[in-house]
Amino acid sequence: MQFGIMSVGDVTQDPTTGRTPSEAERIEAITAIALKAEEVGLDVFATGEHHNPPFVPSSPTTHLAYIAAKTTRLRLSTSTTLITTNDPVKIAEDYAFLQHLSGGRNDLMLGRGNSGPVYPWFGKDIRQGILLAVENYHLLRRLWRERTVNWEGKFRTPLHGYTSTPWPLDDVPPFVWHGSIRSPQIAEQAAFYGDGFFHNNIFWNKEHTASMVHNYRRRFEAFGHGRADQAIVGLGGHVFLADSEAEAKKQFRPYFDNAPVYGHGPSLEEFTEMTPLTVGTAEQAIERTMQFADWVGDYQRQLFLVDHAGLPLEVVLDQVERLGRDVVPEVRRRMEERRPEHVPSDPPTHTSLLKDTSRSNPHFQVSPGAPTAEKENTGSRS
């Protein structure tokens, strides 16, 4: 099973000191956090993509390539690549290029993002968000699987005899996750193609998370990719760790109360009761994380948010250290102990996909009758 951290890349004032880091300092800090993740034995670092303050990760592949040059084992991913406002031609180029630079250590998570104003900045209509996600991804798949693409759709100019460059490393497209916290259409899209589904459950109760994941699993099986419990699932999580629960809450409370995403709302205690947020000891984080598998079934990737809301770098590095030392080894052991033999323990990687020389795996093929925006709009693939 893969464990790692994800960063949304916010530039937020530290409420305990009143100091706000510069954008340069925040970018350097995120890099240091990724390097620490590899040092302590975590498997994945994922960055978000944002184009509005207070966030800095506007160019994920640039940052991931830099991190790739400084690491040897760490898997590089995104916690959002905006499939709606990015041109799929540019996504195909950028992530294939990153493949070559990283030796195939990258994948990506496609999503629609959570910032409505981004759409008009890139000439898109937020009311077309789902339709854009469907059409753009179908084109992206073709660009990574067909040397010459002739294509015409609703949302961009046609392509005639187009070849994406560079071509995916070793003829193997990057593995794709589809991330959504509330849209069943995206879970359906992931299931249709046999791709991974990531539910960033840090804002949601277990009933909602379970419903989204089980719907994806059911449709994954219906589309003929394997048994429902073999579907590739990832989850989010948020922890703040200390030697005691009281100390963790004392340290984290001012950051929680002023967080740009969920601050000034429910209390810390209410939020930890309603969502997977764990503020306490390593033992509490282990027990809470193990509950995730009870909710959604055995899954393959777990990413934790640890650097949000103005936390100083030294505090975040300590959190990563605690995760790698005190939490992940035990969760990994327990997760594998409970996992049935027929259920994959890891998501597909470049190495595992490359071994499939027959190319019979659905990740290598353009699915016949792929969904169009019009089909998704009418709900014909319900």
Side-chain angles (χ1 to χ4, degrees), residues 163-175:
T163 298
S164 184
T165 182
W167 191 246
L169 178 66
D170 300 320
D171 242 10
V172 177
F175 182 70

Side-chain angles (χ1 to χ4, degrees), residues 152-201:
E152 185 170 345
K154 179 179 179 180
F155 296 109
R156 77 174 316 280
T157 54
L159 297 175
H160 300 292
Y162 180 79
T163 298
S164 184
T165 182
W167 191 246
L169 178 66
D170 300 320
D171 242 10
V172 177
F175 182 70
V176 170
W177 301 84
H178 300 259
S180 180
I181 58 176
R182 59 184 176 271
S183 301
Q185 300 95 326
I186 302 304
E188 173 82 357
Q189 184 181 40
F192 181 90
Y193 290 108
D195 294 335
F197 178 65
F198 191 94
H199 190 273
N200 189 7
N201 55 323

Side-chain angles (χ1 to χ4, degrees), residues 178-233:
H178 300 259
S180 180
I181 58 176
R182 59 184 176 271
S183 301
Q185 300 95 326
I186 302 304
E188 173 82 357
Q189 184 181 40
F192 181 90
Y193 290 108
D195 294 335
F197 178 65
F198 191 94
H199 190 273
N200 189 7
N201 55 323
I202 63 174
F203 302 113
W204 295 92
N205 58 51
K206 63 183 180 181
E207 292 81 10
H208 175 80
T209 299
S211 174
M212 289 286 288
V213 173
H214 289 316
N215 179 58
Y216 158 69
R217 290 188 183 279
R218 179 177 61 85
R219 299 299 287 160
F220 179 95
E221 182 174 292
F223 285 121
H225 299 297
R227 291 170 49 167
D229 59 0
Q230 295 175 314
I232 305 301
V233 173

Side-chain angles (χ1 to χ4, degrees), residues 84-274:
T84 47
T85 52
N86 281 312
D87 185 347
V89 172
K90 189 66 171 132
I91 294 177
E93 294 174 339
D94 286 351
Y95 285 89
F97 204 113
L98 179 60
Q99 258 195 322
H100 288 268
L101 289 174
S102 67
R105 285 190 284 136
N106 66 301
D107 54 42
L108 66 159
M109 185 197 308
L110 301 176
R112 292 181 293 134
N114 59 8
S115 302
V118 171
Y119 281 78
W121 295 342
F122 289 87
K124 307 299 181 183
D125 183 347
I126 192 173
R127 295 170 295 182
Q128 305 292 326
I130 292 290
L131 306 182
L132 280 162
V134 172
E135 180 175 295
N136 284 355
Y137 180 56
H138 182 47
L139 174 55
L140 176 61
R141 283 182 66 86
R142 291 188 59 187
L143 292 167
W144 277 339
R145 289 161 174 82
E146 299 177 28
R147 288 285 185 174
T148 303
V149 174
N150 295 292
W151 179 90
E152 185 170 345
K154 179 179 179 180
F155 296 109
R156 77 174 316 280
T157 54
L159 297 175
H160 300 292
Y162 180 79
T163 298
S164 184
T165 182
W167 191 246
L169 178 66
D170 300 320
D171 242 10
V172 177
F175 182 70
V176 170
W177 301 84
H178 300 259
S180 180
I181 58 176
R182 59 184 176 271
S183 301
Q185 300 95 326
I186 302 304
E188 173 82 357
Q189 184 181 40
F192 181 90
Y193 290 108
D195 294 335
F197 178 65
F198 191 94
H199 190 273
N200 189 7
N201 55 323
I202 63 174
F203 302 113
W204 295 92
N205 58 51
K206 63 183 180 181
E207 292 81 10
H208 175 80
T209 299
S211 174
M212 289 286 288
V213 173
H214 289 316
N215 179 58
Y216 158 69
R217 290 188 183 279
R218 179 177 61 85
R219 299 299 287 160
F220 179 95
E221 182 174 292
F223 285 121
H225 299 297
R227 291 170 49 167
D229 59 0
Q230 295 175 314
I232 305 301
V233 173
L235 293 181
H238 191 177
V239 296
F240 188 87
L241 305 171
D243 295 334
S244 70
E245 181 180 3
E247 182 62 25
K249 289 183 174 180
K250 178 181 177 181
Q251 292 182 38
F252 187 62
R253 190 180 302 278
Y255 297 97
F256 175 88
D257 289 346
N258 291 277
V261 174
Y262 46 57
H264 312 287
S267 69
L268 175 60
E269 285 73 18
E270 290 170 331
F271 204 78
T272 53
E273 176 67 24
M274 293 186 297

